[in-house]
Amino acid sequence: NPAEVIRAGELEKRSASLFQLWKKKLVVLTRDSLSLLPEGAGPGRRPKELSFQSILKLDCVERTDKYVYFTIVTTDRKELDFRCADSSSWNSSIALALIAFQNQRAVETFRSPAEWRGPGLEPTTSDSRARALATKPRCQPGRPLTSPRSEE
């Protein structure tokens, strides 16, 4: 379930204003997004959602005695700076969830090559063969191991 909460808690985000103040945010991490809500926001306030689809990477991790600083880079190259208490490991939680999301997308793309070629286009023979080889068991009881070359 993509909306399943992995973790919830507090992070600080650096504002884009002239003074670049650190503002506390209530954060909810799910399998496909990171939602941010200003601390003390009322019940009617909608969180800002950063979909993992719009996140390129988590970057620039720096540690001090008190904080871990990190940057989330979006697909449109915007940089969002965060910090968390060193012991909280928020940066690791976000990085692991982002990697899991990106891996799932890669598997889905591999399973349906026609999807990334465009509508109405059939996969090429080499794509079909690659997919068949990737899903075909290599070791079957009573048969010797085979290589892709020996099957041609």
Side-chain angles (χ1 to χ4, degrees), residues 42 56 62 79 100 143:
L56 187 61
E62 181 182 331
E79 295 183 357
R143 284 190 64 200

Side-chain angles (χ1 to χ4, degrees), residues 107 110-113 126-140 146 148 151:
V107 167
F110 179 75
R111 286 184 182 158
S112 58
S126 62
D127 291 333
S128 300
R129 178 163 164 67
R131 195 164 14 152
L133 288 174
T135 58
K136 183 176 182 179
R138 289 276 178 239
C139 183
Q140 297 174 351
T146 59
E151 294 174 1

